[in-house]
Amino acid sequence: MPCDQTYTSLKTRTPWRWPWILLTVAIYAFCLPWMASAIFQRYYIEKDYDATLPGLDDTAARKFFMASHMGLGAICLILYPLQFTAVVRRRWPSFHRWTGRVAVCASMLCSLCGM
């Protein structure tokens, strides 16, 4: 099969890619500044736990689990978009596999720490 024909068939079969790319960019553009200011600033820098999540008692276990939940969630936010990037899958398959494993483990631990 000629190279041009393969490229054309791949291009016509994946029109769904652009909405996902735009959604990812929108999430990063709007959510990351909020997370940086509302959560990271108050929780890690100012240590104002009740302003971030009011109504919960201020214990060492809560601090540990919330810090773990937020840190692991940040790892997931960084690694999961890489899993859907075709360039990463094609050029660096071992990197794709390892980031996938790390992302799945981080999301499982993140969900356990958030409970």
Side-chain angles (χ1 to χ4, degrees):
M1 188 179 301
C3 184
D4 292 335
Q5 188 178 14
T6 304
Y7 177 73
T8 305
S9 66
L10 285 175
K11 189 175 178 183
T12 57
R13 285 190 307 174
T14 58
W16 50 267
R17 189 175 299 170
W18 282 106
W20 286 108
I21 291 171
L22 292 175
L23 179 66
T24 303
V25 169
I27 287 172
Y28 280 110
F30 294 111
C31 290
L32 287 181
W34 174 79
M35 287 174 21
S37 66
I39 296 174
F40 188 77
Q41 175 77 23
R42 288 182 186 164
Y43 205 79
Y44 288 111
I45 296 173
E46 297 173 3
K47 305 280 188 208
D48 189 8
Y49 302 109
D50 286 329
T52 308
L53 295 168
L56 298 174
D57 55 339
D58 192 19
T59 62
R62 176 180 177 240
K63 290 179 187 179
F64 171 76
F65 285 115
M66 286 308 299
S68 300
H69 178 72
M70 288 184 211
L72 291 166
I75 291 171
C76 292
L77 281 174
I78 292 168
L79 291 182
Y80 273 120
L82 291 174
Q83 293 299 304
F84 298 109
T85 307
V87 175
V88 173
R89 282 194 311 259
R90 272 187 269 127
R91 289 189 185 167
W92 305 290
S94 62
F95 176 75
H96 169 73
R97 284 187 217 106
W98 277 104
T99 55
R101 291 174 186 143
V102 170
V104 167
C105 289
S107 62
M108 289 173 26
L109 290 173
C110 180
S111 64
L112 286 175
C113 290
M115 288 184 179

